[in-house]
Amino acid sequence: MKYSSEVFGNAVNVKSSIYTSGGRRDVHAAFTPGAMAFDAAFADLREAMAEFGKVLGDDLVVSSCRFMLADPANDAASVLAVFPKATVIGQAPCVDTAICALVQYVEGRYADGAVVRGSYAESHRTFTPVDASEPEAPVRAMSDYVDWLGHHGLTLEADCLRTWFFVRDIDRNYRYVVDARNRIFAGEGLNRNTHFIASTGIGADASSTGSPLTLETLTVSGLKPGQISYIKALSHLNDTIEYGVAFERATAVDYGDRRVVYISGTASIDNRGQIIGERDIVAQTERMILNVRALLDSAAVSADDLQHVVVYCRNRYQSAAVAELVGRAFPGVPALYVQAPVCRPGWLVEMECMAMKPQLNDAYAPY
């Protein structure tokens, strides 16, 4: 993995990772404007994204784009007017700007709303139920996703690799996500004897639609049985179903030319499900990093294979200490730090990440 940090446009910092396999590139980039006010920051961000895209070349297309906003009620509509297929989330950047972005670029082509890569088609989609109460919003979002999968001849069990639940007032409303996910998973054949799905459940302010929840999904079609494995690292983290929550700690996918690993939202938890380092941001960050390393090791990848990191801080004023520790543990990796309550009030920080490692496997098509 090759990492770089450059300035594009009007003082927009762009940290990127470049993975190359067989001459084909995958690029992940974290964009952080220097301007504080939204209008200036968004204009600068658009310019930087255009410049960065030109540097990458026409052979790469955007496979996913997530914007994090300090004031989604006022600013989300402006972003969606320019980037209608992006995920827009109410999570204030921990630095002094109104917006930041995580963008993934791949070599492929667009077809039927997906990025086609040889034998596979990758889709990032969002489901934001409007006019829904907190209890019913996660059910409606997940039901809409299952319906979308069925319309395309896909299933939750075989083709969904990753989900994100962005929840308004998560301290109060996360239980509705847990209940909905458990119920729908059971109906789709996902249980402790089969598998669940890598996921992040995190706090976020309401979008411009006022919906209490946004569901972001990653779907890859064309996978064969055996390509996906589920990562536990039980020496460090307990199985999530032990405390009634249905998601996988991490998911690995083997292709003909690489292994891709999705690390779920990971906090300071031990193998009994207990919080480590109550009210201690340094202790929690250190344990979080230890847990992520354990998951990477269990997936047979390393920190050198990381493509990006997103870190969620309950208190943005603790983010400098978090960034110092995470940056020391994973130097050079593109990272974004945003303010967002974690799904259990005692957790002060959580991170998610993605890794990619070259490997050859003749049983599967290359990615």
Side-chain angles (χ1 to χ4, degrees):
M1 197 74 66
K2 179 183 177 182
Y3 301 122
S4 66
S5 180
E6 303 173 81
V7 175
F8 283 83
N10 184 21
V12 177
N13 181 262
V14 182
K15 294 183 177 180
S16 63
S17 63
I18 302 176
Y19 171 89
T20 305
S21 173
R24 296 168 58 211
R25 294 172 295 157
D26 289 66
V27 179
H28 292 205
F31 292 81
T32 305
M36 293 178 64
F38 172 78
D39 288 344
F42 186 43
D44 292 345
L45 182 55
R46 291 168 60 187
E47 179 183 358
M49 290 175 66
E51 288 185 11
F52 187 72
K54 289 180 180 178
V55 170
L56 295 180
D58 294 337
D59 54 336
L60 270 76
V61 299
V62 173
S63 63
S64 73
C65 184
R66 185 192 303 171
F67 293 93
M68 293 86 146
L69 305 180
D71 186 2
N74 284 309
D75 300 332
S78 297
V79 177
L80 289 169
V82 181
F83 300 97
K85 295 182 179 180
T87 302
V88 180
I89 301 301
Q91 293 174 334
C94 288
V95 295
D96 289 333
T97 187
I99 182 173
C100 61
L102 176 66
V103 187
Q104 299 178 30
Y105 305 83
V106 301
E107 291 194 30
R109 60 181 177 83
Y110 293 122
D112 192 26
V115 175
V116 177
R117 308 183 63 174
S119 301
Y120 309 100
E122 176 180 311
S123 300
H124 286 259
R125 298 187 65 86
T126 57
F127 300 84
T128 305
V130 297
D131 301 323
S133 67
E134 277 85 355
E136 69 173 309
V139 175
R140 285 180 50 182
M142 292 191 69
S143 297
D144 289 346
Y145 177 43
V146 169
D147 289 345
W148 178 86
L149 288 166
H151 179 74
H152 289 82
L154 308 173
T155 67
L156 192 67
E157 190 275 335
D159 303 292
C160 176
L161 294 183
R162 184 75 164 85
T163 61
W164 294 261
F165 292 85
F166 299 103
V167 186
R168 181 176 65 193
D169 192 4
I170 194 169
D171 292 336
R172 184 172 63 90
N173 294 324
Y174 186 59
R175 67 185 187 275
Y176 301 129
V177 173
V178 171
D179 291 344
R181 184 167 52 191
N182 290 353
R183 192 167 77 215
I184 289 179
F185 278 8
E188 295 295 313
L190 279 68
N191 56 63
R192 66 189 310 161
N193 297 317
T194 56
H195 69 83
F196 297 117
I197 293 168
S199 189
T200 297
I202 201 75
D205 289 337
S207 68
S208 58
T209 65
S211 175
L213 177 139
T214 293
L215 170 64
E216 182 180 357
T217 62
L218 167 61
T219 310
V220 175
S221 62
L223 296 169
K224 295 181 179 179
Q227 278 188 258
I228 306 174
S229 55
Y230 302 95
I231 311 303
K232 303 293 186 182
L234 294 176
S235 60
H236 288 68
L237 308 98
N238 69 331
D239 203 335
T240 62
I241 200 64
E242 291 180 6
Y243 53 93
V245 183
F247 73 94
E248 297 290 348
R249 298 290 186 189
T251 296
V253 187
D254 290 320
Y255 297 95
D257 60 342
R258 69 190 72 185
R259 165 167 279 206
V260 181
V261 178
Y262 304 94
I263 304 290
S264 297
T266 302
S268 178
I269 191 173
D270 66 12
N271 59 7
R272 296 174 299 131
Q274 302 300 309
I275 297 173
I276 298 295
E278 291 274 2
R279 303 183 65 82
D280 185 335
I281 189 61
V282 171
Q284 288 205 19
T285 304
E286 290 174 342
R287 177 65 189 209
M288 174 186 74
I289 291 169
L290 184 66
N291 287 344
V292 169
R293 287 190 181 279
L295 289 166
L296 292 170
D297 289 345
S298 297
V301 296
S302 75
D304 294 335
D305 301 313
L306 285 173
Q307 292 183 288
H308 74 259
V309 166
V310 179
V311 181
Y312 304 99
C313 299
R314 179 172 281 269
N315 183 345
R316 65 173 298 185
Y317 299 106
Q318 296 177 323
S319 63
V322 173
E324 181 180 354
L325 292 167
V326 172
R328 191 185 307 160
F330 309 121
V333 178
L336 289 175
Y337 298 82
V338 293
Q339 182 171 9
V342 187
C343 62
R344 197 186 299 184
W347 278 325
L348 306 177
V349 62
E350 179 174 295
M351 68 178 288
E352 64 183 52
C353 52
M354 184 175 168
M356 194 174 286
K357 175 185 176 180
Q359 70 173 23
L360 297 178
N361 191 324
D362 293 337
Y364 308 123
Y367 196 46

